[in-house]
């Protein structure tokens, strides 16, 4: 079949469209990746819609309540997960005391929990389980809320809005997050990006429960547990001494925020259990 001029023109247009689509597929993602490495977050409608525009709430009391109400469900969910893991470890401890053999499922879950909290469980002993229990414990809700408020300016910071990072957590691989505009020359850290609010809260809690920098926090909490006392925010906040370079000044600021915002920290809605 002969191809007329109109047919040739149509084919040519089709080829141009195909080439343009190919160029878009190959080069535009690379450009977006470079923007991320420079700390310019690519616009993501899903992320933008995930965080309310707290800056637009002009009444301070309304902003604080909205911010706490926004984060509370994720905090409670992660604490419920941790409490379930803790209950499991307590049951394993009881089995060891009773000289009962663990099932394969129990051994597998025990290994998973150990890896999550960066603890090498070399042998199944009471001492090792007790050491792991020091790490696997809930974080007071009030402390999480206040620290998130402090780190994000009540949810208005660039890192909260663009990266769902509510706790100023760093990452150290190039392109892993957003580059701080005020980063000291010679440093290479970035502020981590998270896909969901849940991921941000989970990472923060896992960091406090496993990182050597927060061993004091875990020690304070364990001592209170040994006295049959419930660890409170005003007790554990001292264990955050290494969270900021400001150290004592940072602790004093968090304590002042705890005192000043107590009425907003109380949830007037029906409370859910942690387990």
């Amino acid at each position: 079949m002969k191809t007329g001029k109109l047919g040739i023109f149509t084919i040519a247009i089709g080829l141009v469209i195909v080439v343009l689509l190919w160029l878009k597929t190959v080069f535009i993602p690379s450009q977006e990746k470079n923007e991320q490495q420079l700390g310019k977050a690519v616009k993501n409608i899903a992320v933008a819609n995930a965080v309310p525009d707290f800056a637009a709430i002009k009444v301070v009391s309304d902003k604080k309540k909205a911010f706490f109400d926004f984060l509370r469900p994720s905090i409670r969910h992660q604490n419920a997960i941790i409490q379930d893991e803790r209950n499991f470890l307590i049951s394993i401890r009881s089995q060891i005391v009773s000289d009962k053999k663990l099932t394969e499922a129990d051994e597998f879950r025990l290994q998973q929990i150990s890896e999550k909290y960066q603890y090498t469980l070399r042998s199944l002993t009471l001492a090792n389980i007790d050491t792991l229990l020091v790490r696997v414990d809930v974080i007071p809700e009030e402390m999480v809320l206040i620290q998130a408020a402090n780190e994000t300016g009540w949810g208005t910071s660039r890192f909260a809005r663009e990266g769902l990072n509510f706790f100023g957590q760093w990452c150290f691989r190039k392109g892993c997050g957003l580059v701080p505009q005020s980063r000291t020359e010679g440093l290479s850290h970035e502020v981590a990006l998270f896909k969901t609010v849940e991921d941000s809260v989970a990472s923060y809690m896992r960091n406090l429960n496993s990182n050597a920098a927060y061993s004091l926090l875990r020690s304070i909490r364990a001592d209170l547990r040994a006295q049959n006392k419930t660890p409170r925010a005003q007790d554990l906040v001292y264990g955050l001494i290494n969270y900021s370079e400001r150290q004592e000044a940072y602790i004093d600021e968090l304590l002042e925020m705890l005192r000043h915002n107590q009425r907003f920290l109380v949830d007037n809605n029906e409370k859910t259990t942690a387990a």
Side-chain angles (χ1 to χ4, degrees):
M1 178 184 294
K2 293 183 179 180
T3 304
K5 292 183 179 180
L6 183 60
I8 294 173
F9 179 75
T10 302
I11 292 172
I13 291 295
L15 287 173
V16 170
I17 292 173
V18 170
V19 170
L20 287 174
L21 288 174
W22 178 78
L23 288 172
K24 181 178 179 181
T25 302
V26 173
F27 290 106
I28 290 181
S30 298
Q31 181 182 356
E32 291 178 348
K33 183 178 180 181
N34 289 335
E35 288 179 351
Q36 285 182 324
Q37 291 175 346
L38 292 172
K40 300 175 182 177
V42 177
K43 294 299 180 183
N44 187 321
I45 300 302
V47 170
N49 290 338
V51 182
D53 186 3
F54 293 111
I57 306 176
K58 301 306 179 184
V59 180
V60 175
S61 58
D62 291 345
K63 179 189 296 185
K64 291 181 176 182
K65 184 179 184 305
F67 180 71
F68 287 159
D69 287 347
F70 173 72
L71 279 184
R72 221 177 242 113
S74 296
I75 295 170
R76 291 185 177 178
H77 181 229
Q78 291 304 317
N79 266 334
I81 291 173
I82 295 171
Q83 186 61 57
D84 183 63
E85 293 169 337
R86 183 174 177 82
N87 291 343
F88 170 76
L89 291 178
I90 292 172
S91 72
I92 294 297
R93 192 183 191 283
S94 297
Q95 291 184 59
I96 295 173
V97 171
S98 303
D99 199 26
K100 291 184 179 178
K101 183 176 175 58
L102 270 60
T103 65
E104 288 186 6
D106 284 343
E107 290 178 353
F108 179 74
R109 189 180 183 194
L110 181 58
Q111 185 61 34
Q112 282 187 315
I113 293 173
S114 300
E115 291 176 359
K116 175 181 176 180
Y117 293 92
Q118 299 178 25
Y119 179 71
T120 303
L121 192 66
R122 299 187 184 282
S123 59
L124 192 61
T125 64
L126 286 177
N128 285 339
I129 295 299
D130 286 341
T131 300
L132 189 52
L133 278 166
V134 171
R135 299 191 178 208
V136 185
D137 203 345
V138 297
I139 309 293
E141 182 179 297
E142 291 185 355
M143 190 180 82
V144 182
L145 290 170
I146 283 297
Q147 201 173 5
N150 182 280
E151 292 288 338
T152 66
W154 297 95
T156 62
S157 75
R158 169 192 173 216
F159 303 124
R161 291 181 289 104
E162 298 179 6
L164 294 180
N165 189 329
F166 292 88
F167 305 96
Q169 297 175 90
W170 292 1
C171 57
F172 299 91
R173 177 176 48 80
K174 187 176 181 180
C176 64
L178 302 172
V179 177
Q181 295 174 347
S182 58
R183 186 174 66 182
T184 304
E185 186 177 354
L187 297 181
S188 60
H189 70 274
E190 299 179 13
V191 178
L193 292 168
F194 295 98
K195 293 181 178 179
T196 67
V197 178
E198 287 279 347
D199 289 344
S200 179
V201 175
S203 178
Y204 158 82
M205 290 187 172
R206 187 167 58 252
N207 188 31
L208 293 190
N209 279 334
S210 59
N211 195 313
Y214 311 113
S215 58
L216 176 59
L217 180 147
R218 299 192 292 271
S219 178
I220 295 171
R221 185 175 58 189
D223 287 343
L224 291 168
R225 292 288 189 200
Q227 300 172 50
N228 292 319
K229 295 180 180 179
T230 300
R232 303 173 304 168
Q234 53 264 48
D235 300 319
L236 298 196
V237 73
Y238 292 98
L240 297 173
I241 190 71
N242 292 319
Y243 204 94
S244 168
E245 294 177 350
R246 296 169 55 223
Q247 296 198 315
E248 288 86 357
Y250 183 69
I251 301 304
D252 290 341
E253 189 170 284
L254 292 179
L255 288 170
E256 178 58 28
M257 289 182 70
L258 277 168
R259 286 190 290 267
H260 187 69
N261 294 283
Q262 196 57 228
R263 66 190 178 102
F264 302 110
L265 290 166
V266 177
D267 183 15
N268 294 322
N269 298 321
E270 183 180 354
K271 292 184 179 293
T272 57
T273 58

